[in-house]
CSV table of all heavy atoms in Angstrom, one decimal:
chain,number,residue,atom,x,y,z
A,196,ALA,N,136.6,-130.9,-219.0
A,196,ALA,CA,135.7,-130.4,-220.1
A,196,ALA,C,135.3,-128.9,-219.9
A,196,ALA,O,134.9,-128.3,-220.9
A,196,ALA,CB,134.3,-131.2,-220.0
A,197,LEU,N,135.5,-128.4,-218.7
A,197,LEU,CA,135.2,-127.0,-218.4
A,197,LEU,C,136.4,-126.1,-218.3
A,197,LEU,O,136.3,-125.0,-217.8
A,197,LEU,CB,134.3,-126.9,-217.1
A,197,LEU,CG,132.9,-127.6,-217.2
A,197,LEU,CD1,132.2,-127.5,-215.9
A,197,LEU,CD2,132.1,-126.8,-218.3
A,198,VAL,N,137.6,-126.6,-218.8
A,198,VAL,CA,138.7,-125.7,-218.9
A,198,VAL,C,138.3,-124.5,-219.7
A,198,VAL,O,137.8,-124.7,-220.8
A,198,VAL,CB,140.0,-126.5,-219.4
A,198,VAL,CG1,141.1,-125.6,-219.8
A,198,VAL,CG2,140.4,-127.5,-218.4
A,199,PRO,N,138.7,-123.3,-219.4
A,199,PRO,CA,138.4,-122.2,-220.2
A,199,PRO,C,138.9,-122.4,-221.7
A,199,PRO,O,140.0,-122.8,-221.9
A,199,PRO,CB,139.2,-121.0,-219.5
A,199,PRO,CG,139.2,-121.4,-218.1
A,199,PRO,CD,139.4,-122.9,-218.1
A,200,PRO,N,138.0,-122.2,-222.6
A,200,PRO,CA,138.3,-122.5,-224.0
A,200,PRO,C,139.1,-121.4,-224.7
A,200,PRO,O,139.1,-120.3,-224.3
A,200,PRO,CB,136.9,-122.6,-224.6
A,200,PRO,CG,136.1,-121.6,-223.9
A,200,PRO,CD,136.6,-121.7,-222.5
A,201,ASP,N,139.8,-121.8,-225.7
A,201,ASP,CA,140.5,-120.9,-226.6
A,201,ASP,C,139.4,-120.2,-227.4
A,201,ASP,O,138.6,-120.9,-228.1
A,201,ASP,CB,141.4,-121.6,-227.5
A,201,ASP,CG,142.2,-120.7,-228.5
A,201,ASP,OD1,141.7,-119.5,-228.7
A,201,ASP,OD2,143.3,-121.1,-229.0
A,202,PRO,N,139.2,-118.8,-227.2
A,202,PRO,CA,138.1,-118.2,-228.0
A,202,PRO,C,138.1,-118.4,-229.4
A,202,PRO,O,137.1,-118.2,-230.1
A,202,PRO,CB,138.3,-116.7,-227.6
A,202,PRO,CG,139.1,-116.7,-226.3
A,202,PRO,CD,140.0,-117.9,-226.4
A,203,ARG,N,139.4,-118.6,-230.0
A,203,ARG,CA,139.5,-118.8,-231.4
A,203,ARG,C,138.9,-120.1,-231.9
A,203,ARG,O,138.7,-120.4,-233.1
A,203,ARG,CB,140.9,-118.7,-231.9
A,203,ARG,CG,141.5,-117.3,-231.6
A,203,ARG,CD,143.0,-117.3,-231.8
A,203,ARG,NE,143.6,-118.2,-230.8
A,203,ARG,CZ,144.9,-118.4,-230.7
A,203,ARG,NH1,145.7,-117.8,-231.5
A,203,ARG,NH2,145.4,-119.3,-229.7
A,204,GLU,N,138.7,-121.1,-230.9
A,204,GLU,CA,138.4,-122.5,-231.3
A,204,GLU,C,137.0,-122.9,-230.7
A,204,GLU,O,136.6,-124.1,-230.8
A,204,GLU,CB,139.5,-123.4,-230.8
A,204,GLU,CG,140.8,-123.1,-231.5
A,204,GLU,CD,141.9,-124.0,-231.0
A,204,GLU,OE1,141.6,-124.8,-230.1
A,204,GLU,OE2,143.0,-123.9,-231.5
A,205,THR,N,136.3,-122.0,-230.1
A,205,THR,CA,135.0,-122.4,-229.5
A,205,THR,C,134.0,-121.3,-229.8
A,205,THR,O,134.2,-120.1,-229.7
A,205,THR,CB,135.2,-122.5,-227.9
A,205,THR,OG1,136.3,-123.4,-227.6
A,205,THR,CG2,133.9,-123.0,-227.3
A,206,ASP,N,132.7,-121.8,-230.1
A,206,ASP,CA,131.6,-120.8,-230.4
A,206,ASP,C,130.7,-120.8,-229.3
A,206,ASP,O,129.9,-119.8,-229.2
A,206,ASP,CB,130.9,-121.3,-231.7
A,206,ASP,CG,131.8,-121.3,-232.9
A,206,ASP,OD1,132.5,-120.3,-233.1
A,206,ASP,OD2,131.8,-122.3,-233.6
A,207,LEU,N,130.6,-121.8,-228.4
A,207,LEU,CA,129.5,-121.9,-227.4
A,207,LEU,C,130.0,-122.7,-226.3
A,207,LEU,O,130.6,-123.8,-226.5
A,207,LEU,CB,128.3,-122.5,-228.0
A,207,LEU,CG,127.0,-122.6,-227.1
A,207,LEU,CD1,126.5,-121.1,-226.9
A,207,LEU,CD2,125.9,-123.4,-227.7
A,208,MET,N,129.9,-122.2,-225.1
A,208,MET,CA,130.3,-122.9,-223.8
A,208,MET,C,129.0,-123.3,-223.1
A,208,MET,O,128.2,-122.4,-222.9
A,208,MET,CB,131.2,-122.1,-223.0
A,208,MET,CG,131.9,-122.8,-221.9
A,208,MET,SD,133.2,-123.8,-222.6
A,208,MET,CE,133.7,-124.8,-221.1
A,209,VAL,N,128.9,-124.5,-222.6
A,209,VAL,CA,127.7,-125.0,-222.0
A,209,VAL,C,127.9,-125.6,-220.6
A,209,VAL,O,128.9,-126.4,-220.5
A,209,VAL,CB,127.0,-126.1,-222.8
A,209,VAL,CG1,125.8,-126.7,-222.2
A,209,VAL,CG2,126.6,-125.6,-224.2
A,210,ILE,N,127.2,-125.2,-219.6
A,210,ILE,CA,127.3,-125.8,-218.3
A,210,ILE,C,125.9,-126.2,-217.8
A,210,ILE,O,125.1,-125.4,-217.5
A,210,ILE,CB,127.9,-124.8,-217.2
A,210,ILE,CG1,129.2,-124.2,-217.8
A,210,ILE,CG2,128.2,-125.5,-215.9
A,210,ILE,CD1,129.8,-123.1,-216.9
A,211,ASP,N,125.8,-127.5,-217.7
A,211,ASP,CA,124.5,-128.1,-217.2
A,211,ASP,C,124.8,-128.9,-215.9
A,211,ASP,O,125.4,-130.0,-216.1
A,211,ASP,CB,123.9,-129.0,-218.3
A,211,ASP,CG,122.7,-129.7,-217.9
A,211,ASP,OD1,121.9,-129.2,-217.0
A,211,ASP,OD2,122.5,-130.9,-218.4
A,212,GLU,N,124.6,-128.5,-214.7
A,212,GLU,CA,123.9,-127.3,-214.4
A,212,GLU,C,124.7,-126.5,-213.3
A,212,GLU,O,125.6,-127.0,-212.7
A,212,GLU,CB,122.5,-127.5,-213.8
A,212,GLU,CG,122.4,-128.0,-212.4
A,212,GLU,CD,120.9,-128.2,-212.0
A,212,GLU,OE1,120.3,-129.2,-212.4
A,212,GLU,OE2,120.4,-127.3,-211.2
A,213,VAL,N,124.4,-125.2,-213.1
A,213,VAL,CA,125.0,-124.4,-212.1
A,213,VAL,C,124.0,-124.4,-211.0
A,213,VAL,O,122.9,-123.9,-211.1
A,213,VAL,CB,125.3,-123.0,-212.7
A,213,VAL,CG1,125.9,-122.1,-211.6
A,213,VAL,CG2,126.2,-123.0,-213.9
A,214,GLY,N,124.5,-125.0,-209.9
A,214,GLY,CA,123.5,-125.1,-208.7
A,214,GLY,C,124.0,-124.7,-207.3
A,214,GLY,O,125.0,-124.0,-207.2
A,215,ARG,N,123.4,-125.3,-206.3
A,215,ARG,CA,123.8,-124.8,-205.0
A,215,ARG,C,125.1,-125.2,-204.6
A,215,ARG,O,125.8,-124.5,-203.8
A,215,ARG,CB,122.7,-125.3,-204.0
A,215,ARG,CG,122.6,-126.8,-203.9
A,215,ARG,CD,121.4,-127.2,-203.0
A,215,ARG,NE,121.2,-128.6,-203.0
A,215,ARG,CZ,121.6,-129.4,-202.0
A,215,ARG,NH1,122.3,-128.9,-201.0
A,215,ARG,NH2,121.4,-130.7,-201.9
A,216,PHE,N,125.6,-126.4,-205.1
A,216,PHE,CA,127.0,-126.8,-204.8
A,216,PHE,C,128.0,-125.8,-205.3
A,216,PHE,O,129.0,-125.4,-204.7
A,216,PHE,CB,127.3,-128.2,-205.3
A,216,PHE,CG,126.3,-129.2,-204.7
A,216,PHE,CD1,125.9,-130.2,-205.5
A,216,PHE,CD2,125.9,-129.2,-203.4
A,216,PHE,CE1,125.0,-131.2,-205.1
A,216,PHE,CE2,125.0,-130.1,-202.9
A,216,PHE,CZ,124.6,-131.1,-203.7
A,217,GLU,N,127.8,-125.3,-206.5
A,217,GLU,CA,128.7,-124.3,-207.1
A,217,GLU,C,128.6,-123.0,-206.3
A,217,GLU,O,129.6,-122.3,-206.1
A,217,GLU,CB,128.4,-124.0,-208.6
A,217,GLU,CG,128.8,-125.2,-209.5
A,217,GLU,CD,127.9,-126.4,-209.5
A,217,GLU,OE1,126.8,-126.3,-209.0
A,217,GLU,OE2,128.4,-127.5,-209.8
A,218,LEU,N,127.4,-122.6,-205.9
A,218,LEU,CA,127.2,-121.4,-205.1
A,218,LEU,C,127.9,-121.5,-203.8
A,218,LEU,O,128.2,-120.5,-203.2
A,218,LEU,CB,125.8,-121.1,-205.0
A,218,LEU,CG,125.1,-120.6,-206.3
A,218,LEU,CD1,123.6,-120.6,-206.1
A,218,LEU,CD2,125.6,-119.2,-206.6
A,219,GLN,N,128.1,-122.7,-203.3
A,219,GLN,CA,128.8,-123.0,-202.1
A,219,GLN,C,130.4,-123.1,-202.2
A,219,GLN,O,131.1,-123.4,-201.3
A,219,GLN,CB,128.3,-124.2,-201.3
A,219,GLN,CG,126.8,-124.1,-200.9
A,219,GLN,CD,126.2,-125.4,-200.5
A,219,GLN,OE1,126.7,-126.4,-200.7
A,219,GLN,NE2,124.9,-125.4,-200.1
A,220,GLY,N,130.8,-123.0,-203.5
A,220,GLY,CA,132.2,-123.0,-203.8
A,220,GLY,C,132.7,-124.4,-204.1
A,220,GLY,O,133.9,-124.7,-204.2
A,221,ALA,N,131.8,-125.4,-204.4
A,221,ALA,CA,132.2,-126.7,-204.7
A,221,ALA,C,131.9,-127.1,-206.2
A,221,ALA,O,131.5,-126.3,-207.0
A,221,ALA,CB,131.5,-127.7,-203.8
A,222,VAL,N,132.3,-128.4,-206.5
A,222,VAL,CA,132.0,-129.0,-207.8
A,222,VAL,C,132.7,-128.1,-208.9
A,222,VAL,O,133.9,-128.1,-209.2
A,222,VAL,CB,130.5,-129.3,-208.0
A,222,VAL,CG1,130.3,-130.2,-209.3
A,222,VAL,CG2,130.0,-130.1,-206.9
A,223,TRP,N,131.8,-127.3,-209.7
A,223,TRP,CA,132.4,-126.6,-210.8
A,223,TRP,C,132.7,-125.1,-210.5
A,223,TRP,O,132.9,-124.3,-211.3
A,223,TRP,CB,131.4,-126.6,-212.0
A,223,TRP,CG,130.8,-127.9,-212.4
A,223,TRP,CD1,129.5,-128.2,-212.7
A,223,TRP,CD2,131.5,-129.2,-212.5
A,223,TRP,NE1,129.4,-129.5,-212.9
A,223,TRP,CE2,130.6,-130.1,-212.8
A,223,TRP,CE3,132.9,-129.6,-212.3
A,223,TRP,CZ2,130.9,-131.5,-213.0
A,223,TRP,CZ3,133.2,-130.9,-212.5
A,223,TRP,CH2,132.3,-131.9,-212.8
A,224,ALA,N,132.7,-124.7,-209.2
A,224,ALA,CA,132.8,-123.3,-208.8
A,224,ALA,C,134.1,-122.7,-209.3
A,224,ALA,O,134.1,-121.6,-209.9
A,224,ALA,CB,132.7,-123.2,-207.3
A,225,ASP,N,135.2,-123.4,-209.2
A,225,ASP,CA,136.5,-122.9,-209.6
A,225,ASP,C,136.5,-122.7,-211.1
A,225,ASP,O,137.0,-121.7,-211.7
A,225,ASP,CB,137.7,-123.7,-209.2
A,225,ASP,CG,137.9,-123.7,-207.7
A,225,ASP,OD1,137.4,-122.7,-207.0
A,225,ASP,OD2,138.7,-124.6,-207.2
A,226,GLN,N,135.9,-123.7,-211.9
A,226,GLN,CA,135.9,-123.6,-213.3
A,226,GLN,C,135.1,-122.4,-213.8
A,226,GLN,O,135.4,-121.6,-214.7
A,226,GLN,CB,135.4,-124.9,-213.9
A,226,GLN,CG,136.3,-126.0,-213.9
A,226,GLN,CD,136.7,-126.5,-212.5
A,226,GLN,OE1,135.8,-126.6,-211.6
A,226,GLN,NE2,137.9,-126.8,-212.3
A,227,ILE,N,133.9,-122.2,-213.1
A,227,ILE,CA,133.1,-121.0,-213.5
A,227,ILE,C,133.8,-119.7,-213.2
A,227,ILE,O,133.7,-118.7,-213.9
A,227,ILE,CB,131.7,-121.1,-212.8
A,227,ILE,CG1,130.9,-122.4,-213.3
A,227,ILE,CG2,130.8,-119.9,-213.1
A,227,ILE,CD1,129.7,-122.7,-212.5
A,228,ASP,N,134.4,-119.6,-212.0
A,228,ASP,CA,135.1,-118.4,-211.6
A,228,ASP,C,136.2,-118.1,-212.7
A,228,ASP,O,136.3,-116.9,-213.1
A,228,ASP,CB,135.9,-118.6,-210.3
A,228,ASP,CG,134.9,-118.6,-209.1
A,228,ASP,OD1,133.7,-118.2,-209.3
A,228,ASP,OD2,135.3,-119.0,-208.0
A,229,ARG,N,136.9,-119.1,-213.3
A,229,ARG,CA,137.8,-118.8,-214.3
A,229,ARG,C,137.2,-118.4,-215.6
A,229,ARG,O,137.7,-117.5,-216.3
A,229,ARG,CB,138.8,-120.0,-214.4
A,229,ARG,CG,139.8,-120.2,-213.3
A,229,ARG,CD,140.9,-121.1,-213.7
A,229,ARG,NE,140.5,-122.5,-213.9
A,229,ARG,CZ,140.5,-123.3,-212.8
A,229,ARG,NH1,140.8,-123.0,-211.7
A,229,ARG,NH2,140.1,-124.5,-213.1
A,230,LEU,N,136.1,-119.1,-215.9
A,230,LEU,CA,135.4,-118.8,-217.2
A,230,LEU,C,135.0,-117.3,-217.3
A,230,LEU,O,135.1,-116.7,-218.3
A,230,LEU,CB,134.2,-119.7,-217.4
A,230,LEU,CG,134.6,-121.2,-217.9
A,230,LEU,CD1,133.4,-122.0,-217.7
A,230,LEU,CD2,135.0,-121.1,-219.3
A,231,VAL,N,134.4,-116.8,-216.2
A,231,VAL,CA,133.8,-115.6,-216.2
A,231,VAL,C,134.8,-114.4,-216.1
A,231,VAL,O,134.5,-113.3,-216.4
A,231,VAL,CB,132.7,-115.4,-215.2
A,231,VAL,CG1,131.6,-116.4,-215.3
A,231,VAL,CG2,133.3,-115.4,-213.7
A,232,THR,N,136.0,-114.7,-215.8
A,232,THR,CA,137.1,-113.7,-215.7
A,232,THR,C,137.8,-113.5,-217.0
A,232,THR,O,138.6,-112.6,-217.2
A,232,THR,CB,138.0,-113.9,-214.6
A,232,THR,OG1,138.7,-115.2,-214.8
A,232,THR,CG2,137.3,-114.0,-213.2
A,233,LEU,N,137.6,-114.4,-217.9
A,233,LEU,CA,138.3,-114.5,-219.2
A,233,LEU,C,137.4,-114.1,-220.4
A,233,LEU,O,136.2,-114.4,-220.3
A,233,LEU,CB,139.0,-115.8,-219.5
A,233,LEU,CG,140.0,-116.2,-218.4
A,233,LEU,CD1,140.4,-117.7,-218.6
A,233,LEU,CD2,141.3,-115.4,-218.5
A,234,PRO,N,138.0,-113.6,-221.5
A,234,PRO,CA,137.1,-113.5,-222.7
A,234,PRO,C,136.5,-114.9,-223.1
A,234,PRO,O,137.2,-115.9,-223.1
A,234,PRO,CB,138.1,-113.1,-223.8
A,234,PRO,CG,139.3,-112.5,-223.0
A,234,PRO,CD,139.3,-113.3,-221.8
A,235,HIS,N,135.2,-114.9,-223.3
A,235,HIS,CA,134.6,-116.2,-223.5
A,235,HIS,C,133.5,-116.0,-224.6
A,235,HIS,O,133.0,-114.9,-224.8
A,235,HIS,CB,133.9,-116.7,-222.2
A,235,HIS,CG,132.9,-115.8,-221.7
A,235,HIS,ND1,131.6,-115.7,-222.2
A,235,HIS,CD2,133.0,-114.9,-220.7
A,235,HIS,CE1,130.9,-114.9,-221.5
A,235,HIS,NE2,131.7,-114.3,-220.5
A,236,PRO,N,133.2,-117.1,-225.3
A,236,PRO,CA,132.1,-117.1,-226.3
A,236,PRO,C,130.8,-117.1,-225.6
A,236,PRO,O,130.7,-117.1,-224.4
A,236,PRO,CB,132.4,-118.4,-227.1
A,236,PRO,CG,133.0,-119.3,-226.1
A,236,PRO,CD,133.9,-118.4,-225.2
A,237,PRO,N,129.7,-117.0,-226.3
A,237,PRO,CA,128.4,-117.1,-225.7
A,237,PRO,C,128.3,-118.4,-224.8
A,237,PRO,O,128.9,-119.4,-225.2
A,237,PRO,CB,127.4,-117.2,-226.9
A,237,PRO,CG,128.1,-116.5,-227.9
A,237,PRO,CD,129.6,-116.8,-227.8
A,238,MET,N,127.6,-118.3,-223.7
A,238,MET,CA,127.5,-119.5,-222.8
A,238,MET,C,126.0,-119.8,-222.6
A,238,MET,O,125.1,-118.9,-222.7
A,238,MET,CB,128.2,-119.2,-221.5
A,238,MET,CG,129.7,-119.1,-221.6
A,238,MET,SD,130.5,-119.4,-220.0
A,238,MET,CE,130.3,-117.8,-219.2
A,239,VAL,N,125.8,-121.1,-222.3
A,239,VAL,CA,124.4,-121.5,-222.0
A,239,VAL,C,124.6,-122.2,-220.6
A,239,VAL,O,125.4,-123.2,-220.6
A,239,VAL,CB,123.8,-122.4,-223.0
A,239,VAL,CG1,122.3,-122.8,-222.5
A,239,VAL,CG2,123.7,-121.7,-224.4
A,240,TRP,N,123.8,-121.8,-219.6
A,240,TRP,CA,123.8,-122.5,-218.3
A,240,TRP,C,122.4,-123.0,-218.1
A,240,TRP,O,121.4,-122.5,-218.6
A,240,TRP,CB,124.2,-121.6,-217.2
A,240,TRP,CG,125.5,-121.0,-217.2
A,240,TRP,CD1,126.5,-121.1,-218.2
A,240,TRP,CD2,126.0,-120.0,-216.2
A,240,TRP,NE1,127.6,-120.4,-217.8
A,240,TRP,CE2,127.4,-119.7,-216.6
A,240,TRP,CE3,125.5,-119.5,-215.0
A,240,TRP,CZ2,128.2,-118.8,-215.9
A,240,TRP,CZ3,126.4,-118.6,-214.4
A,240,TRP,CH2,127.6,-118.3,-214.7
A,241,THR,N,122.3,-124.0,-217.2
A,241,THR,CA,121.0,-124.3,-216.6
A,241,THR,C,121.1,-124.0,-215.2
A,241,THR,O,122.1,-124.3,-214.5
A,241,THR,CB,120.5,-125.8,-216.9
A,241,THR,OG1,121.5,-126.7,-216.3
A,241,THR,CG2,120.4,-126.1,-218.3
A,242,VAL,N,120.0,-123.4,-214.6
A,242,VAL,CA,120.0,-123.0,-213.2
A,242,VAL,C,118.6,-123.2,-212.7
A,242,VAL,O,117.6,-122.8,-213.4
A,242,VAL,CB,120.4,-121.5,-213.1
A,242,VAL,CG1,120.3,-121.1,-211.6
A,242,VAL,CG2,121.8,-121.2,-213.6
A,243,ARG,N,118.5,-123.8,-211.5
A,243,ARG,CA,117.2,-123.9,-210.9
A,243,ARG,C,116.5,-122.6,-210.6
A,243,ARG,O,117.3,-121.7,-210.2
A,243,ARG,CB,117.3,-124.8,-209.7
A,243,ARG,CG,115.9,-125.3,-209.2
A,243,ARG,CD,116.1,-126.4,-208.1
A,243,ARG,NE,116.8,-127.6,-208.6
A,243,ARG,CZ,117.1,-128.6,-207.9
A,243,ARG,NH1,116.7,-128.7,-206.6
A,243,ARG,NH2,117.7,-129.6,-208.4
């Protein structure tokens, strides 16, 4: 679900939630790393 989207086919990318496991390099960390290095639409995250 978190594969970097085609910018021509996506208006909004959502990640619920970005937490301590991602900050430790686990769970969705790799997906977030790829998302932020590519052109992306507006994103909404939840973060403690």
Side-chain angles (χ1 to χ4, degrees):
L197 293 173
V198 168
D201 184 336
R203 297 167 298 179
E204 299 177 355
T205 306
D206 298 312
L207 186 67
M208 193 75 190
V209 175
I210 310 176
D211 177 30
E212 79 180 72
V213 178
R215 61 189 177 96
F216 301 139
E217 286 74 25
L218 289 167
Q219 294 166 357
V222 190
W223 315 134
D225 288 346
Q226 284 65 42
I227 297 171
D228 286 347
R229 285 197 290 271
L230 281 167
V231 300
T232 59
L233 297 170
H235 59 79
M238 291 200 283
V239 182
W240 298 1
T241 60
V242 178
R243 197 169 296 183

